[in-house]
Amino acid sequence: MMKLKPEHFAAIKSAILRDAAAPYLRDYLARGLTEKRWRWDLLHRNVSAAWICANVYPYANDEHLDTALRRITADPTLEKGAQ
């Protein structure tokens, strides 16, 4: 079960999916980086650390945030490139 509040999940998802120049997962994997690193780079590229600290961390931790990021990056509208 995901712990993020629906409005925070929606804000993060919207920001990430709006990123037309998001890096491809395949490029990360080719460089020896992990899918988790890709997810977190997408987050930090699109959502400020200050917003995350003020809105998410008062009630959730990195594991909860990563669960949300896995759901967001599974969205078919986010181009992941050929794997």
Side-chain angles (χ1 to χ4, degrees):
M1 182 171 175
M2 188 176 58
K3 186 169 181 177
L4 261 59
K5 294 178 182 178
E7 62 270 20
H8 294 153
F9 177 82
I12 293 168
K13 181 176 181 177
S14 175
I16 289 174
L17 295 182
R18 251 192 337 258
D19 186 358
Y24 289 135
L25 173 59
R26 69 167 182 242
D27 295 337
Y28 267 63
L29 299 175
R31 293 176 22 217
L33 300 171
T34 65
E35 188 168 344
K36 183 175 185 176
R37 168 71 186 266
W38 176 68
R39 291 191 300 267
W40 282 84
D41 281 356
L42 284 173
L43 174 67
H44 289 296
R45 188 183 147 94
N46 293 288
V47 181
S48 76
W51 186 90
I52 295 167
C53 289
N55 294 287
V56 176
Y57 285 144
Y59 68 91
N61 62 35
D62 285 349
E63 289 182 33
H64 302 127
L65 197 46
D66 195 52
T67 297
L69 292 172
R70 279 195 303 275
R71 288 187 185 178
I72 291 166
T73 57
D75 190 300
T77 62
L78 180 65
E79 180 57 59
K80 297 181 191 178
Q83 296 181 26

